[in-house]
Amino acid sequence: MPQPPTIRLLAFARYAELLGRESLELPLPEPPTVERLIESVRALPGGEGLPPVVLVAVNARQAGGADHVAPGDEVAILPPMAGG
Amino acid sequence: MSLLTSDPIELAPLVAEVVADDRGGVATFLGLVRDHHQGQRVVRLEYSAYPEMVEGVAAGILAEACARWPVRVAARHRTGVLEVGEVAVAVAAAGAHRAEAFEACRYVIEELKRRVPIWKKEFYADGTTGWVEPRP
């Protein structure tokens, strides 16, 4: 039986602490959009602590809610930048 | 050269990346770990990053600076645990004159702080920790 399509979620900094891990495989959502994927992340244990608006990158490029995700994509949830 | 390093940052090699015989004005910026933040005593910082995205965003910022001013620019940002006084970030910009060097240097550090996916966790004197949120 073929494996269901997945994406790889990366969480950083405060968000990794909320979810308790830095990466995990998630099923490709239906519809396969960033917005739908973030909804599924909010449903994970700890995900309720995410703010109303979450910065997202798909394959290391910033993405919006309506952008599509494809099987094998690397989707990162990024806390507000605080470098320098 | 990539932006991120886990080694201590030295300014002289960064300057060497940007100088040339026809670029006589060199402006530099160093960001050091400070011992206080919003009224709390800080003893160390831990920087973490999303490396693939950092390098793409940083390369874009450096290219923007070179497109806006006739300069050569270089920058370095350290990750890992840094003690108070250590260099976290450094920028060097060189142009024929000081005006473009100062402006490009400022532009690069401001944009790096605004756009690169790097985060810092503060370790306070009272033993607690906190993630730094950027100023709105």
Side-chain angles (χ1 to χ4, degrees), chain B residues 120-136:
Chain B
K120 55 188 175 221
K121 185 177 190 175
E122 294 179 318
F123 292 75
Y124 305 114
D126 66 4
T128 59
T129 62
W131 289 102
V132 174
E133 297 286 317
R135 270 191 272 246

Side-chain angles (χ1 to χ4, degrees), chain B residues 3-73:
Chain B
L3 181 79
L4 295 178
T5 178
S6 51
D7 296 326
I9 293 173
E10 301 287 333
L11 189 55
L14 203 65
V15 170
E17 286 181 39
V18 300
V19 292
D21 289 348
D22 61 345
R23 286 192 283 270
V26 184
T28 62
F29 175 80
L30 294 179
L32 279 60
V33 176
R34 203 174 62 232
D35 67 358
H36 64 280
H37 185 228
Q38 293 180 342
Q40 294 211 263
R41 268 229 24 232
V42 176
V43 294
R44 68 181 57 87
L45 292 184
E46 183 175 18
Y47 281 97
S48 55
Y50 181 15
E52 296 89 335
M53 189 174 168
V54 167
E55 298 302 341
V57 173
I61 290 169
L62 297 182
E64 287 162 19
C66 293
R68 278 178 76 156
W69 296 279
V71 294
R72 188 133 177 228
V73 288

Side-chain angles (χ1 to χ4, degrees), chain A residues 2 6-7 23-25 28 33-34 40 47 52 56 66-67 78-79:
Chain A
T6 62
I7 62 96
S23 71
L24 63 153
E25 299 288 314
L28 191 75
T33 62
V34 164
S40 68
V56 175
D67 288 341
L78 313 172

Side-chain angles (χ1 to χ4, degrees), chain A residues 12-15 50-51 53-56 62 77-83, chain B residues 48 112-120 131-136:
Chain A
F12 290 94
R14 189 165 68 82
Y15 296 173
L50 289 173
V53 178
V54 172
L55 206 62
V56 175
Q62 201 158 323
I77 50 173
L78 313 172
M81 319 299 194
Chain B
S48 55
L112 285 177
K113 287 178 73 74
R114 207 169 60 82
R115 289 156 56 181
V116 287
I118 294 177
W119 301 277
K120 55 188 175 221
W131 289 102
V132 174
E133 297 286 317
R135 270 191 272 246

